[in-house]
Amino acid sequence: MITGKNYIGNKLSGKGTIVHKTINPKLNIENATAFIEATDNEIDEAVQLAWEAFKIYRKVSGKKRATFLNAIADGILALDQKLIDIFTAESGLPEGRAIGERGRTVFQLRSFAELISKEDWRENTIDKAEPNREPLPKEDLRKTLIPLGPVVVFGASNFPLAYSTAGGDTASALAAGCPVIVKAHEMHSGTSELVASAIIKAAEKTGMPNGVFSNLVGRGKIVGTALANHPKVKAVGFTGSIAGGRALFNLASQRKEPIPVFAEMGSINPVVITPAAIANRYEEIASTYASSITLGTGQFCTNPGLILTIDSNETQDFIKDLAEKTIAIDPQCMLHPNIKSGFNKNSSSITAQSGVETVAKIQGKLKDNYAASQIASVSGTEFLNNPKTHQEVFGPFSLVVKCKDEEELIEIINGLEGQLTGTIIAEEEEYSNLEEIIDTLENRVGRIIFNGVPTGVEVCPSMQHGGPYPASTDSRFTAVGTNSIKRWVRPISYQSFPNALLPKALKNI
Ligand code: NAP
């Protein structure tokens, strides 16, 4: 039997007895390797090692940590076709997507390397002493940001590279000076082990302490829970379902020492299309949105799952056109049989609600694990009265709401749960009427898109990927872009410190 093991620092370990295999969703067969779930002792060993590594790693200079991140990026590229093959075999995603996601992963690592090569990301501030100030002298105060400690990162099912083992959470935590223990996603244990091997090699090559990175496989409720509960773990990064993220958030806040959980979870990403936009260019909007709804088989957290319109004859034409164009796109494979069954269950639950009409759905027998794209519609009143129609359907599905007027549309936005994104499709002549829609969206979302699509999340400092709950557990932070480093640090002030004892960046020059 081929076995997949855990990386506890630089040591491969597989002492457990519980094994699982990943699935090739395109072929609907198990992949060959059997992965051995980490035992309680192995989990403890990984965290203790991370704690010891933290004592050293937190003091490694930004420039040296940058060398480490760049070496990880180089190592990932050196895995070459082997990585692409395992990515596609474990996810059902096409080779082009694997290459694109690898590029994004490498770009993120290099962006964080560039950021930490200088110290200004720490927002250092210096308030010098004023001994002669009246009525009281002012003390010397200097503030910087320091790393929290070992971070546990849960690999995401829908981004086997970019939001998994060496993805955004890991890259930002390592950049901040925190050791990382990854709980690999069970569906992508092979991809995770391979990427972990590149991280371990990079750590050794650049002289990082053993334990700065570990990769554990196993069930979330066992391995993930034990990790999040470990007293020496100081923060958690998570991308996935509301149920999973919320369970970890609750667990972390009930620990003797509560810790932050940065979970990025559900979102239906409302899109407002104004009457003038529909009147002027509904066919173009329908084409653009059919592509966005089906992109990556709809398995993106920014998938446009809710389209808000004002009802009219032209709106009816738009909905018909959108539905036809959506189902004309060839069906694609989903990430896993469980994700496919979740898609079927959740789309059926919405279309079974009173007043919801299935406008079009791909018909006929599909290959195993392929999704039947679908567009449904409902009136604004039915939507307002039935929260079951607000649920996320993870996959190529969108619900178009026909509001009776703008007042109802605003009421709907106000009643939505927190979202990652909100989009406005409008014409220039309407700009003066959009203020209320913009104000209402601002209160519900983390990013507002104008005349575009929510799918496609640029990695740059101005990106906000997060939003009011349940889009994320802390809307003040982003999970994408270099500012995501702020999740893993805390401010510290030094009062009346001698220059010799201050951190380098806070010293008098
Ligand atoms: P998930 O079930 O939330 O799992 C994500 C990770 O968290 C996995 O490693 C999982 O381990 C672990 N986990 C789940 N529940 C846990 C718990 N109670 N305690 C500790 N760890 C736990 O998400 P998924 O596997 O990615 O997909 C399932 C569904 O989540 C999808 O069908 C979709 O509806 C939704 N989803 C949404 C987004 C989004 O961005 N909006 C992204 C991905 C998924 P195990 O795998 O071992 O359980």
Side-chain angles (χ1 to χ4, degrees), residues 154-155 157-158 183-187 218-221 224-225 238-241 244 247-248 264-267 301 339 392 394:
F154 285 76
S157 63
N158 57 342
K183 204 300 269 179
H185 199 287
E186 276 214 334
M187 294 179 201
R219 291 161 293 170
K221 287 193 176 127
T225 300
F238 171 94
T239 305
S241 64
L248 288 164
E264 190 254 281
M265 304 169 290
S267 194
C301 42
I339 302 252
E392 180 184 30
F394 193 65

Side-chain angles (χ1 to χ4, degrees), residues 25-45:
K26 268 197 171 154
L27 305 177
N28 206 24
I29 55 167
E30 282 185 333
N31 292 308
T33 308
F35 293 91
I36 307 173
E37 180 167 286
T39 62
D40 287 347
N41 281 343
E42 287 171 319
I43 293 166
D44 186 55
E45 212 186 319

Side-chain angles (χ1 to χ4, degrees), residues 54-98:
F54 178 54
K55 294 177 190 166
I56 302 166
Y57 189 60
R58 65 190 288 277
K59 294 195 161 184
V60 170
S61 73
K63 281 204 168 70
K64 279 198 177 153
R65 291 203 310 282
T67 318
F68 174 35
L69 295 186
N70 279 323
I72 299 174
D74 295 341
I76 287 173
L77 289 173
L79 294 169
D80 206 9
Q81 194 59 31
K82 209 170 156 194
L83 180 61
I84 303 300
D85 289 347
I86 195 152
F87 176 107
T88 51
E90 288 189 330
S91 68
L93 295 167
E95 186 160 325
R97 161 72 187 269

